[in-house]
């Protein structure tokens, strides 16, 4: 069923009796050409682009819980392409371009809202660094603007501009950045994949891999063995667990990241904002809640919930930036498990097992990457060679000294 | 999380800095180990869901390194040892 304005009106006039379930609930078949493990944003996008752009093949997505129950439904919904390094920026700009056409492409309202993102500048050194980053973005075809203090003040007059320690001196702005309704991204890709014949199999946990003579034959699951010619794994925070079934140790640690939503307030933050002196970022949802977050908790965790010290730290960052939120109450907090890689950048690569591919290491920035990650992973699965924007996302970059370390922090995942 | 320091007693985890897997104690010998061994030491991790032995540094306390055994699924802390004792038990001189 195609969605459109006419459809909504027609349904309204006929008592909404024509809406159908958005995707099927098929039982697993004995064998597929492609199995994607993980029904998060990346897994669903991979299946969608594989079915749409690359091959008419038998494709299944195996999800241990329900579709979109992982990080794709837990993140703070920010999209942007404001990276510095050559290995990253073309990929993220490709992703932003895909976001811009996504809703027409998969015929689903994902509420893509290019409301603009600003990274605040507090020191001269930071201005130099952001100028360099902005130039890097422009060189890669993205948009970037350096704002002075008055321009920032015109947008957000209530910020604490004259804080003695962290005065606001300007900002790096990307107008094409913004937010997207995260659940709708999972649902839109799921529906699009299902319409193209992909089997979306929920409550189906991968518990092992059948590997013979160095080749993948299929996966053991909680619903029995399922054969496959090729298997692509995109399980975010569970990457190490799943790839251990193929005997692999990954350059990844799992860490918990928390997010926060305040009670609904009148609109006063039009775009997305990041505090450059601490780790705090915020946007306002269409319902009025402030959606914000900060650092990861900083210790290995698979718990999907964090601890209080980080909540205090994030609240302090928010108060330093905008004292006006001091009376707002926090409605909800939650956590998701991040696949923190050793250099803060992702991996989309083959493995030592023929027919087994890996997509992970997204840290806390993988939502914005969803369309390009799906596209590039589908490209790799179908053609056995990396997409031109994802050639740097290799496992062996650590061995060869070709790290993509945006923050320059070294092999210390909890600092990225 | 409360870490029961072997010398100082229960301390808030906030006083500590986290480094990661306690296997980092076993740095390969730079004169003999090859590049692959060092690569594995530096970049690859077991990253288990469940019991994890890990290094915490008591920066805002006595500046000792501890090996904390913690469950990464529940955050429960099961055992706390001085990293020095662990290293010595593994045959290191200090
Ligand atoms: C609080 C928070 C805020 C964030 N904010 C942002 C942001 O503002 N911008 C941004 O770009 N990114 C953000 N991120 C990061 C982003 O959400 C993730 O990088 C991205 O969603 C990960 O990819 P995914 O959607 O495929 O993951 P997931 O949705 O986690 O998908 C992985 C799926 O694999 C399934 N799975 C795991 N093990 C198995 C198994 N054995 N068998 C079968 N299935 C399995 C899981 O159940 C899960 O559904 C944030 C994350 C969090 C937690």
């Amino acid at each position: 069923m195609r969605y459109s304005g006419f459809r909504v009106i027609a349904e309204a006039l006929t008592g909404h009796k024509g809406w159908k379930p958005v995707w099927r609930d098929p039982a697993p078949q004995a064998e597929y050409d492609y199995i994607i493990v993980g029904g998060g944003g990346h897994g669903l996008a991979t299946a969608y682009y594989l079915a749409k752009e690359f091959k008419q093949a038998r494709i299944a997505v195996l999800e241990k819980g329900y579709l979109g129950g992982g990080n794709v439904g837990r993140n703070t919904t920010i999209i942007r392409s404001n990276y510095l390094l050559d290995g990253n920026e073309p990929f993220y700009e490709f992703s932003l371009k895909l976001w811009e056409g996504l809703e027409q492409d998969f015929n689903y309202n994902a509420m893509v809202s290019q409301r603009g993102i600003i990274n605040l500048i507090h020191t001269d050194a930071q201005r130099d660094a952001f100028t360099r980053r902005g130039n890097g973005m422009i060189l890669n075809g993205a948009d970037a603007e350096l704002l002075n203090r008055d321009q920032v003040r015109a947008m957000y007059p209530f910020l604490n501009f004259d804080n003695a320690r962290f005065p606001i001196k300007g900002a790096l702005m990307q107008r094409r950045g913004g937010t997207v309704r995260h659940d709708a991204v999972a649902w839109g890709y799921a529906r699009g994949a299902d319409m193209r014949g992909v089997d979306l199999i929920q409550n189906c946990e991968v518990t092992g891999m059948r590997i013979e003579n160095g080749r993948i034959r299929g996966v053991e699951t909680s619903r029995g063995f399922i054969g496959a010619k090729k298997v692509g794994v995109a399980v975010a925070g569970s990457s190490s667990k799943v790839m251990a079934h193929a005997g692999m140790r990954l350059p990844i640690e799992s860490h918990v990241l928390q997010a926060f939503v305040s009670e609904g307030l009148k609109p006063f933050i039009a775009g997305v904002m990041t505090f450059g002196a601490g780790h705090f970022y915020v946007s306002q949802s269409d319902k009025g809640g402030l959606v914000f977050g900060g650092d990861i908790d900083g210790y290995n965790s698979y718990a999907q919930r964090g601890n209080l010290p980080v909540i205090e730290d994030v609240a302090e960052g928010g108060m330093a930036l905008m004292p006006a939120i001091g009376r707002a109450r926090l409605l909800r907090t939650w956590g998701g498990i991040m696949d923190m890689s050793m250099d803060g950048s992702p991996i989309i690569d083959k493995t030592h097992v023929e027919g087994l591919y890996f997509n992970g290491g997204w840290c806390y920035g993988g939502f914005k990457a969803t369309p390009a990650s799906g596209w590039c992973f589908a490209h790799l699965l179908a053609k056995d060679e990396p997409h031109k924007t994802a050639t740097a996302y290799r496992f062996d970059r650590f061995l060869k000294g070709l790290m993509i370390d945006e923050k320059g922090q070294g092999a210390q995942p909890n600092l990225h | 999380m409360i870490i029961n320091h072997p010398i100082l007693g229960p301390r808030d985890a906030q006083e500590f800095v986290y480094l990661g897997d306690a296997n980092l104690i076993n740095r390969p010998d730079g004169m003999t180990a090859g590049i692959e061994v060092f690569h594995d030491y530096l970049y690859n991790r077991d990253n288990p869901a469940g019991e994890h032995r890990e290094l915490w540094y008591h920066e805002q306390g006595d500046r000792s390194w501890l090996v904390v055994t913690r469950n990464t699924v529940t955050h429960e802390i099961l055992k706390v040892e001085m990293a020095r004792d662990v290293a010595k038990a593994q045959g290191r001189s200090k």
Side-chain angles (χ1 to χ4, degrees), chain A residues 36-44 62-80 83 92 201 204-207 234-239 241-242 245 255-260 281 292-293 304 334-339 359 361-370 373:
Chain A
I36 312 298
V37 185
H42 293 213
L44 293 168
L62 310 184
E63 164 56 49
K64 77 169 173 198
Y66 60 94
L67 298 180
N71 292 339
V72 71
R74 292 166 184 268
N75 64 72
T76 38
T77 79
I78 298 166
I79 62 164
R80 56 190 172 87
Y83 285 72
Y92 285 103
I201 300 165
C204 182
E205 177 171 2
V206 169
T207 53
V235 294
S238 302
S239 293
K241 268 165 81 177
V242 173
H245 298 313
H255 285 255
V256 57
L257 176 70
Q258 305 191 57
F260 311 86
Y281 61 92
F292 58 96
Q304 288 200 331
W334 64 91
I337 301 305
M338 326 287 11
D339 33 342
N359 172 326
W362 292 99
C363 304
Y364 39 71
F367 177 66
K368 69 174 94 68
T370 306
S373 166

Side-chain angles (χ1 to χ4, degrees), chain A residues 240 249 251 254 298 300-302, chain B residues 18 40 43 46-47 70 72 75:
Chain A
S240 298
R249 283 173 85 226
S254 296
N300 287 44
S301 175
Y302 283 89
Chain B
Y18 180 81
D40 196 51
Y43 296 112
D46 288 338
N47 191 23
R70 193 176 55 95
T72 58
H75 294 167

Side-chain angles (χ1 to χ4, degrees), chain A residues 79-143:
Chain A
I79 62 164
R80 56 190 172 87
S81 68
N82 54 3
Y83 285 72
L84 170 71
L85 300 178
D86 285 343
N88 277 330
E89 182 57 14
F91 172 84
Y92 285 103
E93 178 53 22
F94 177 47
S95 203
L96 195 50
K97 292 215 168 74
L98 288 173
W99 282 119
E100 287 171 331
L102 183 65
E103 293 166 298
Q104 296 303 321
D105 186 59
F106 68 16
N107 178 234
Y108 200 84
N109 180 8
M111 296 165 66
V112 177
S113 164
Q114 293 180 291
R115 51 183 74 182
I117 176 165
I118 61 170
N119 306 121
L120 293 170
I121 295 170
H122 308 273
T123 64
D124 291 345
Q126 210 167 22
R127 185 186 290 112
D128 290 348
F130 280 176
T131 306
R132 180 172 174 230
R133 181 157 20 138
N135 286 334
M137 292 161 64
I138 291 168
L139 283 173
N140 282 297
D143 65 308

Side-chain angles (χ1 to χ4, degrees), chain A residues 13 252 278 394:
Chain A
L13 295 174
I252 286 176
R394 304 163 57 96

Side-chain angles (χ1 to χ4, degrees), chain A residues 240 249-254 298-303 305 307 309 342 398-399 403 411-412 414, chain B residues 1 14 18-19 35-36 39-40 42-49 52 56 70 72-75:
Chain A
S240 298
R249 283 173 85 226
L250 303 183
I252 286 176
E253 286 180 4
S254 296
Y299 42 80
N300 287 44
S301 175
Y302 283 89
R305 62 183 165 74
N307 278 305
M342 287 288 154
F398 300 101
L399 187 61
M403 267 74 74
Q412 191 58 40
N414 63 347
Chain B
M1 291 186 295
Q14 271 305 89
Y18 180 81
L19 184 67
I35 190 168
E36 312 259 323
H39 163 260
D40 196 51
L42 193 54
Y43 296 112
N44 289 338
R45 300 286 185 269
D46 288 338
N47 191 23
H52 189 222
W56 292 74
R70 193 176 55 95
T72 58
V73 178
T74 61
H75 294 167

